Amino acid sequence: MSFLTIERLTKVYDSITAVDGISLDIERGEFVSLLGPSGCGKTTTLQMIAGFVDVTSGRILLEGQDLARVHPARRGLGIVFQSYALFPHMTVAENVGFGLEMRKVNRADRDRRVAAALQLVGLSAMADRYPKRMSGGQQQRVALARALVIEPHLLLLDEPLSNLDAKLREEMQGELRDIQERTGLTTILVTHDQAEAMALSDRIVVMSKGRIEQIDAPEAAYQVPATRFVADFLGRTNTVEGDCAGAAVSVAGETWTVPGGAPAGPVHVAVRPERVTFAETGLAGTVRKRVFQGSQWYFEVESVVGPLAVLAPNGRGRVPAVDEAVRLTWSADDMRVLPREAVR
Amino acid sequence: MSAVAATPGRPATTLRVRGTYAPYLLSLPALAVMGVLLLVPLAMTLVLSLHSFGMYTGISSDYALANYVDVFTDPYFGEIFLRTLRISLCTTLLAAVLGAPEAYILHRMSSPWRSIFLLVMLGPLLISVIARTLGWAMLLGATGVVNQTLIALGLIQTPVEFMYAETGVVVALAHVLMPFMVISVWAALQKLDPQVENAAVSLGAGQATVLRRVVLPQIMPGILSGSIIVFALAASSFATPSIIGGRRLKVAATLAYDEFLSTLNWPLGATIAVLLLAANIVIIVGCNRLVERRYQQVFQ
Ligand SMILES: Nc1ncnc2c1ncn2[C@@H]1O[C@H](COP(=O)(O)OP(=O)(O)OP(=O)(O)O)[C@@H](O)[C@H]1O
Ligand SMILES: [Mg+2]
């Protein structure tokens, strides 16, 4: 029996199906991310677990208990809301202490635990501020402290780091992961930032239009995307058309020998931009765009099989100029071959 | 249009000068209307209150504070001003105690009912104060519906004196002014983030705790500003106290009216009007300052 089980969960608003029959099992101590584009139903799913959005159909079981019969106030979940939802009329310390007050923790213990939680999120100096007088990032950290201080069994995070600057976000990601590993706190993180999902999670759940596209460990989902949507959403992917005969896959006259072989006939070939390299021979093309991204260069090349994205590490060899004629290739290990009709 | 007219040949200064004065020029018509219709009569009332009045001599054109001395020393006037204050405070309290929960219930209603009941709530604003007050007079009279019901239920033996008593005035005024309280609290409720209530629930708060600890403090500014409006309107109300309170139970506004039209002592009437205005301004500005200082830190 999993810690949290979601069975065919569906939410229909008047005309929109926000969540369309998703099923998911989460183990105790696991860190799972719900990842997907805006409007795919991530927040709705989280709010149904929290009990603030009514379930249209399906079940949610926490430690075997059907949550439909547990009032939201007694679910004991730590929640960070997408809009922070801080109490504007309470100071930071009062905000963080509210949950403990509801649990009738005595004054001294409460003060101690609030101070520890604020220390954890680096806001000790702001305990007496009101939320409206803080930056978005600081408010988010207050919300996180408020959710953590009650020591919940399950932590629900709705884009808790979206408003932080890059450096602080990385720090807080590390902090989150540390807390999670130390306390063994089961965590569900909603995010549309794939890097964040991959950096933090044991498993990621890729969602699109209210459905689950893939549930997998981050590397697996990235390396072996189950659907074309996942391939496009988790980093960019070049998809070109080719033909397969036995173990030989040919794309515009170039041939690769694929180890496992593939079904014969027309196929789609998917290759990650970072796997495509400039070479002496290969698919002909012309550089249309070149962008410097610090550690790497990003190119858009108009090739014989259509536009291809290429990522090349900075400082390795010559960098082609815009409008230069180039040739592109990749190794047989880096291509994923799918029969053409199977591709969604 | 002026942007088109400002050809490169023109000196830029004309534009800048016009820019500086434009706000004043543009607000001139409104200022003129305000000045003529409000400030001039007000100033004339103030001047009038300084003149003296004799039963046979009429209004003389001297200037003295005699009227003010009269009002302040005569306990008759003191009692009326005190009653006005008491009625206004009770009305405000009643309107807040009934209006705030009413607005919250309205706020929690689901979509078609909410607008229907909001309309029902604000509907009375469309009916003249006189008509509404006369309605209350029929309900509250010695043989009115309220007293008859209470007697029929055996709760009282003799009719309760609502008419020509402060209770009746307060009840009728609270009803007449309730929409202002509801609108004000409603506006404050619109600004609430529903997720904030959910956050409190997720932390273990029950419904009553959420209301007391999370909702009420957040709509307090709305309740207070509604109270200021209701208080100001109650203190200067005329129609309701004159119908329900009658000749005997005078408040400041009906007193001023009587001095003007019955006694024809215009200077004394003007004095009362000026004092009522001054008291109102002091109380309202004071409360407003208090509210702002208290909530500035929290909500800005
Ligand atoms: N109260 C509501 N009434 C009607 N439709 C809603 C409501 N809340 C959400 N929706 C719809 O449900 C869908 C999913 O919304 P949801 O908030 O779960 O998206 P999300 O994945 O969290 O997106 P984001 O990343 O932008 O936060 C959207 O199409 C949205 O328009
Ligand atoms: Mg969302």
Side-chain angles (χ1 to χ4, degrees), chain A residues 51-211:
Chain A
F52 299 127
V53 166
D54 294 330
V55 173
T56 306
S57 69
R59 289 202 305 169
I60 306 170
L61 305 174
L62 183 64
E63 298 184 278
Q65 188 185 19
D66 192 341
L67 280 187
R69 286 196 296 274
V70 184
H71 187 268
R74 277 187 289 281
R75 294 189 185 187
L77 311 178
I79 305 174
V80 174
F81 290 82
Q82 191 162 10
S83 58
Y84 326 135
L86 297 176
F87 308 125
H89 57 291
M90 296 185 197
T91 62
V92 167
E94 286 166 349
N95 261 282
V96 176
F98 187 83
L100 297 176
E101 210 179 312
M102 292 302 119
R103 282 165 176 68
K104 311 244 176 352
V105 175
N106 70 44
R107 185 85 213 199
D109 276 355
R110 193 159 86 209
D111 289 348
R112 193 176 44 72
R113 282 167 70 177
V114 167
L118 287 178
Q119 174 99 47
L120 189 71
V121 295
L123 286 178
S124 299
M126 297 196 176
D128 296 322
R129 288 249 201 135
Y130 284 94
K132 287 276 156 69
R133 298 263 167 112
M134 303 176 86
S135 73
Q138 289 164 343
Q139 292 182 33
Q140 249 171 357
R141 285 186 279 160
V142 176
L144 190 58
R146 187 177 66 176
L148 286 172
V149 80
I150 60 171
E151 296 175 359
H153 343 277
L154 178 62
L155 187 61
L156 304 178
L157 306 169
D158 198 345
E159 313 210 9
L161 308 177
S162 59
N163 267 339
L164 304 182
D165 62 62
K167 187 168 169 295
L168 199 55
R169 176 159 41 203
E170 232 162 78
E171 256 176 58
M172 290 299 294
Q173 282 174 358
E175 204 61 70
L176 256 183
R177 189 73 228 206
D178 275 358
I179 293 165
Q180 200 265 337
E181 273 167 8
R182 223 173 324 125
T183 57
L185 186 56
T186 315
T187 306
I188 304 179
L189 169 76
V190 158
T191 179
H192 54 237
D193 177 350
Q194 43 156 316
E196 182 170 297
M198 293 206 224
L200 291 176
S201 329
D202 297 317
R203 285 190 300 161
I204 56 180
V205 177
V206 183
M207 294 179 62
S208 162
K209 299 186 186 133
R211 290 167 186 272

Side-chain angles (χ1 to χ4, degrees), chain A residues 260-336:
Chain A
V267 291
H268 273 295
V269 173
V271 192
R272 295 281 183 192
E274 66 269 24
R275 303 295 179 168
V276 182
T277 51
F278 295 111
E280 295 303 316
T281 58
L283 302 172
T286 313
V287 176
R288 285 282 169 242
K289 200 166 142 191
R290 188 179 83 167
V291 180
F292 181 56
Q293 295 181 334
S295 60
Q296 60 192 4
W297 288 90
Y298 170 76
F299 299 92
E300 273 174 31
V301 178
E302 188 60 49
S303 76
V304 286
V305 288
L308 287 177
V310 181
L311 278 174
N314 186 23
R316 297 265 179 80
R318 210 180 65 77
V319 178
V322 173
D323 287 337
E324 193 175 320
V326 292
R327 285 191 175 264
L328 299 171
T329 189
W330 54 79
S331 97
D333 296 338
D334 295 329
M335 57 202 277
R336 270 179 40 77

